[in-house]
Amino acid sequence: MRPQIEAFFDTATFTVSYLVADPDSGVAAVIDPVLDYDPKSGRTATRSADAILAAAGKQDLEIAWLLETHAHADHLSAGAYLRETTGAKVVIGRNITKVQRTFRPVFNLMDLPVDGSDFDRLVEDGETIELGGLDIEVMYTPGHTPACVSYRIADAVFVGDTLFMPDYGTARADFPGGDARTLYRSIRRILSLPPETRLFMCHDYKAPGRETFAWETTVAEQRARNLHVKDGIGEDEFVALRTSRDGTLDMPVLILPSIQVNVRAGRLPPPEQNGVSYLKIPLNQL
Ligand SMILES: N[C@@H](CCC(=O)N[C@@H](CS)C(=O)NCC(=O)O)C(=O)O
Ligand SMILES: [Fe+2]
């Protein structure tokens, strides 16, 4: 039995979120939902998440899980908003605790528990989550961040930020706790799945020369054509390539707002005495 998959693309951050359902029972999961954020005004909005809710409502799906592949550094998560509106549980890899320990001092978030308890379920490599009659298998795929996981549902794997489309390559490995060598090993693990396995990306930045955004490919295609990790590219060659490209990349525009919200499962910081929630900008830290 194959899951039913619908993709939602956020043109502001080039993020792909997914609504994945067991067609028999109508039980669904949302993977990597986006909370819209305008850095110019400091306003959040729920347009992207509401589009997913509307699609789920139209098909009478019951959203049971909100699956995060990692604590995103380029967009805010709508996990907390969707938890409030649907009662679904927010899931992330157990190593989120490492990410929380890294960033708590950066933002001086004294109220942030670093045991992952802001999330509803912390998952381990090999663990399964029930999606109606289907199983979601958790694969640890660290490297981009220490807490990255991929979710396999039948022949579909949601790879988060490990791989991008073959003509673009792979995710960066230079965030705190990131590691190119670890990323290579995680990717090879994904690419050792059967060749026809469908892979769903969390981002597409449209490689130069390509006209349209794309986010679905297969293990076979990645092994044949991925610019950074196709068959024949060894670990050392990958690490050299990844490291030199990472040296040229700016920090994502939304890294500071994103991290401080996403390590709390998408909750905005607690309001101050005047009822207003504030984001912090740590100076000279990243
Ligand atoms: N320009 C984008 C860059 C976002 C970014 O750094 N994305 C990460 C994933 S969170 C990445 O791996 N990028 C790889 C690359 O651009 O080569 C932004 O500012 O949001
Ligand atoms: Fe990312």
Side-chain angles (χ1 to χ4, degrees):
M1 173 63 79
R2 290 168 124 211
Q4 173 187 315
I5 301 170
E6 192 172 343
F8 298 81
F9 187 66
D10 173 38
T11 48
T13 63
F14 308 101
T15 303
V16 195
S17 308
Y18 297 94
L19 174 63
V20 186
D22 166 27
D24 276 352
S25 62
V27 177
V30 178
I31 304 182
D32 292 328
V34 172
L35 182 70
D36 309 296
Y37 176 67
D38 172 25
K40 297 189 287 300
S41 61
R43 257 186 195 281
T44 61
T46 57
R47 258 184 330 272
S48 297
D50 289 337
I52 301 177
L53 285 177
K58 215 185 269 171
Q59 301 164 77
D60 232 352
L61 301 177
E62 175 214 335
I63 300 174
W65 302 110
L66 304 164
L67 307 176
E68 298 285 0
T69 55
H70 60 297
H72 303 277
D74 65 304
H75 65 271
L76 276 60
S77 162
Y81 169 70
L82 290 176
R83 168 163 58 187
E84 242 167 67
T85 47
T86 66
K89 305 258 184 268
V90 186
V91 179
I92 201 162
R94 178 164 296 281
N95 286 329
I96 187 64
T97 56
K98 291 189 188 168
V99 179
Q100 290 177 325
R101 278 197 300 271
T102 302
F103 285 105
R104 185 161 100 145
V106 173
F107 291 103
N108 196 28
L109 300 175
M110 295 320 287
D111 64 311
L112 175 75
V114 289
D115 59 358
S117 56
D118 275 354
F119 294 82
D120 300 305
R121 181 160 166 187
L122 303 183
V123 286
E124 310 262 10
D125 188 51
E127 187 170 337
T128 57
I129 303 168
E130 210 174 277
L131 186 74
L134 296 172
D135 276 341
I136 304 171
E137 186 205 331
V138 177
M139 295 173 71
Y140 270 5
T141 48
H144 171 59
T145 79
C148 288
V149 295
S150 298
Y151 296 102
R152 186 181 69 78
I153 309 172
D155 70 327
V157 186
F158 299 86
V159 300
D161 292 359
T162 50
L163 289 155
F164 293 146
M165 291 304 279
D167 57 2
Y168 195 89
T170 57
R172 64 197 295 174
D174 61 336
F175 293 153
D179 183 70
R181 204 163 286 280
T182 307
L183 178 61
Y184 181 85
R185 291 176 190 176
S186 293
I187 289 172
R188 294 314 308 182
R189 193 168 166 221
I190 294 170
L191 298 186
S192 68
L193 291 167
E196 63 280 8
T197 306
R198 295 179 293 161
L199 303 178
F200 293 87
M201 317 294 115
C202 178
H203 287 297
D204 184 52
Y205 301 108
K206 219 161 52 174
R210 174 148 54 86
E211 294 287 309
T212 51
F213 289 108
W215 42 76
E216 179 182 346
T217 175
T218 61
V219 163
E221 257 182 289
Q222 293 282 16
R223 290 184 64 161
R225 279 191 283 286
N226 187 292
L227 275 188
H228 299 167
V229 284
K230 64 183 173 213
D231 285 355
I233 300 184
E235 185 168 311
D236 288 340
E237 189 182 344
F238 172 77
V239 170
L241 202 147
R242 190 65 258 172
T243 311
S244 78
R245 176 165 166 80
D246 286 350
T248 69
L249 298 176
D250 287 333
M251 281 295 144
V253 177
L254 296 184
I255 189 169
L256 292 170
S258 302
I259 296 278
Q260 58 193 299
V261 167
N262 296 342
V263 293
R264 304 178 188 269
R267 280 189 301 118
L268 301 180
E272 298 194 4
Q273 314 87 295
N274 59 358
V276 179
S277 214
Y278 292 85
L279 291 168
K280 291 183 178 178
I281 299 185
L283 298 178
N284 308 314
Q285 296 299 303
L286 288 192

